[in-house]
């Protein structure tokens, strides 16, 4: 929804990353993993903005540590954030 004074919407992003050289990562693999982000927003022009954002990162083999580390595998990370902006 978008008008001259208000807008309401959503945004979905997908990111995937890979190392140029696998040997440069702790896990000796090129795949960093992927991230999915969802943003819901509402805005009143020149007055008020509200955002609700959530994200999830799934680590790839690049974050799997070698045998010398006490931590063997990276875990999925999540975030949920809100933002309110008043303009005056």
């Amino acid at each position: 929804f978008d008008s001259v004074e208000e807008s309401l919407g959503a945004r979905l992003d997908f990111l995937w990353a890979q190392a140029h050289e696998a040997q440069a990562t702790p896990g000796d693999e090129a795949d960093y993993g992927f991230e999915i982000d969802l943003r819901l927003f509402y805005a009143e022009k020149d007055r008020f903005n509200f955002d609700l954002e959530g994200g999830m990162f799934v680590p790839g083999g690049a974050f799997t540590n070698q045998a010398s580390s006490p931590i063997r595998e990276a875990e999925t990370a999540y975030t949920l954030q809100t933002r309110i902006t008043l303009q005056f």
Side-chain angles (χ1 to χ4, degrees), residues 23-36:
Q23 306 88 312
T25 68
D28 219 17
E29 291 187 32
D31 183 26
Y32 282 128
F34 66 90
E35 181 177 344
I36 298 172

Side-chain angles (χ1 to χ4, degrees), residues 70-84:
I71 301 171
R72 302 287 184 243
E73 290 187 34
E75 296 179 359
T76 301
Y78 304 92
T79 184
L80 182 62
Q81 303 171 7
T82 59
R83 182 182 311 115
I84 296 174

Side-chain angles (χ1 to χ4, degrees), residues 22-75:
Q23 306 88 312
T25 68
D28 219 17
E29 291 187 32
D31 183 26
Y32 282 128
F34 66 90
E35 181 177 344
I36 298 172
D37 299 314
L38 175 63
R39 176 181 174 222
L40 305 173
F41 59 89
Y42 172 76
E44 290 182 17
K45 184 178 179 184
D46 297 328
R47 294 184 62 203
F48 174 81
N49 293 323
F50 174 78
D51 295 302
L52 176 62
E53 299 182 40
M56 179 177 74
F57 173 69
V58 179
F63 292 104
T64 301
N65 291 326
Q66 300 295 320
S68 61
S69 174
I71 301 171
R72 302 287 184 243
E73 290 187 34
E75 296 179 359

